[in-house]
Amino acid sequence: MSPAALSAIIRPMPVIPFLTIFIAASALSFLLEEGLEFIDYKSRKKNGGKVPKELFGYADSRLLRKTCEYEDAKYRLFIPEHAASFVLSLVLVLSGYYPAVYRRLVPVTGNGTLTAILFFLLASLPEAVLSVPFGFKREFDIEKRYGFSNMTFGMWLLDGLKGLLVGLLVSCPLIALANVLLLYLPGIWWILLSAAYIALSLAITFLYPIVIAPLFNKFTPLESAELKMRLEALLGKTGFQSQGIFVMDASKRSRHSNAYFTGFGKSKRVVLYDTLLDQLSVDETESVLAHELGHYKLSHIIRRLSATIPLIVLSLLAVSVLVRMPSLYSSFGFEAETSVVLDGASRTETVLPYIHFIGLFLCGLVAGPFSPLLSLVSNFFSRRDEFQADAFSAETCGRSRSLVTALIKLHKENLSELTPPKIYCVFNYSHPPLLERIRALGKDRDGADKA
């Protein structure tokens, strides 16, 4: 269905109060997220010190107390950070910051594409600045205090600058392309931009392990002969072709641990954090990697991509209709030139394409507060995939207990909550809670090695 046809369908509807939608959705999203964190906090106070029967012999009161303290410290930082972000978003909209930025840019740049790029950058600048002190507090207070962070200030600053540079190199060309398509191909821009966005995402996936990731960490081939032999046999068994198995110097920055495979096509590689190798046995590392390979073997990534592509196309189709509506701009204080088409008694007013990039930004602004609802859906399917990957690991390795003990160790080392409330997990957990994974794996506690 074309944007014009879709416009004809929605034309009889009353003008959408976009500012009202934004404020109401932002307030509800704020209250929902605050409420979920409070429920999690109260649950920790009530149950955080109790050792679940499945973890007798694996966890003690000292560990649980430290876990609760760590989570409480993050919660105490979340409250002012979340509140400040919410207030800032309202201030930026209600103060007329965005129209003021646009009005000042137009006479200075004299170029539509440059105006679009600078507008998006300046529009995102206040929130980026706000995140700096909270990020500093998180890294150098909380993470340092609980023994996770090995970051120096210079390293933290350099990482931030590198991340900013990578972000600019990715976003600026995409913004420029979007503006050109909006101006010169207004009827089909959303199709072409969808294709460009998908192509760019695949290109980044291909380049990430060989260009982007090495900007932040050092990757070296796995040296342990026994582990390398076991993991290479596992890769052969699952038919996973890669550049090799690499160890990442994660301990240079943090004691948190992980394992993953990344890349696309010939750039695929398996990555193990050096912290993971320090914490897990050979059997446990093999089980963790088998879990990650389960996502590949069970086509989870392809399925997610297959669901994401139509969602991107449909979202941009909807945006292609909204950016033509004058009320979208006037709701946020923009003055957009319009054209009027008379068809008998019907009168249609549409915004001229030169400012459609502003409409693209405003659509993202209005849609932002609905992200918890999207997370609700995406997390449901992600947790389902995690259960399947766990089962794949157990079947492929011929055992489940090494994956169970690995999961317990990783939760202990990362001070992850053991018994988060169900409602909190539904919205915030892309992975099932530890106890649910243990139960699903059918763990035989008496036969497992003590972690």
Side-chain angles (χ1 to χ4, degrees), residues 169-182 185 188-205 305 309 312-313 316 360:
L169 290 175
V170 172
S171 61
C172 289
L174 190 61
I175 294 170
L177 175 62
N179 186 62
V180 170
L181 293 177
L182 284 163
L185 296 167
I188 59 171
W189 71 264
W190 55 278
I191 299 175
L192 299 176
L193 186 59
S194 298
Y197 181 82
I198 294 165
L200 179 62
S201 299
L202 293 176
I204 292 174
T205 302
L305 185 62
I309 290 175
I312 292 171
V313 175
L316 286 177
L360 196 64

Side-chain angles (χ1 to χ4, degrees), residues 83-93 98 125-128 130:
S85 179
F86 170 65
V87 171
L88 178 62
S89 67
L90 294 183
V91 168
L92 291 175
V93 168
Y98 299 123
L125 182 61
E127 291 190 3
L130 177 66

Side-chain angles (χ1 to χ4, degrees), residues 13 34 52 72 89 105 135 146 148 198-199 208 213 286 303 320 347 381 389 404 410 412 430 440:
M13 296 175 61
E34 287 286 341
D72 287 349
S89 67
L105 283 176
Y146 289 92
F148 288 118
I198 294 165
Y208 178 81
E286 181 185 34
R303 286 214 309 262
S320 71
R347 180 179 183 275
F381 289 105
V404 169
L410 292 176
K412 289 170 61 176
S430 61

Side-chain angles (χ1 to χ4, degrees), residues 35-44 71 417 420-421 424:
L36 289 170
E37 292 296 335
F38 181 72
I39 290 171
D40 188 37
Y41 169 74
K42 295 297 289 184
S43 176
R44 275 197 307 276
E71 292 295 331
E417 285 191 90
Y424 185 82

Side-chain angles (χ1 to χ4, degrees), residues 47-61:
N47 304 311
K50 301 174 183 178
V51 180
K53 65 178 185 298
E54 292 91 345
L55 300 179
F56 286 164
Y58 294 90
D60 55 30
S61 58

Side-chain angles (χ1 to χ4, degrees), residues 102-178:
Y102 175 70
R103 285 195 298 269
R104 283 177 168 80
L105 283 176
V106 171
V108 173
T109 61
N111 178 282
T113 297
L114 183 57
T115 299
I117 292 174
L118 291 177
F119 175 82
F120 272 88
L121 295 180
L122 292 174
S124 62
L125 182 61
E127 291 190 3
V129 171
L130 177 66
S131 69
V132 171
F134 290 105
F136 184 87
K137 171 76 172 178
R138 184 178 298 106
E139 187 67 45
F140 291 99
D141 181 4
I142 298 175
E143 294 296 304
K144 287 281 188 184
R145 193 191 326 159
Y146 289 92
F148 288 118
S149 177
N150 295 319
M151 191 83 76
T152 65
F153 176 74
M155 191 185 302
W156 180 78
L157 187 61
L158 186 58
D159 280 355
L161 293 175
K162 289 178 183 177
L164 177 62
L165 178 60
V166 171
L168 290 175
L169 290 175
V170 172
S171 61
C172 289
L174 190 61
I175 294 170
L177 175 62

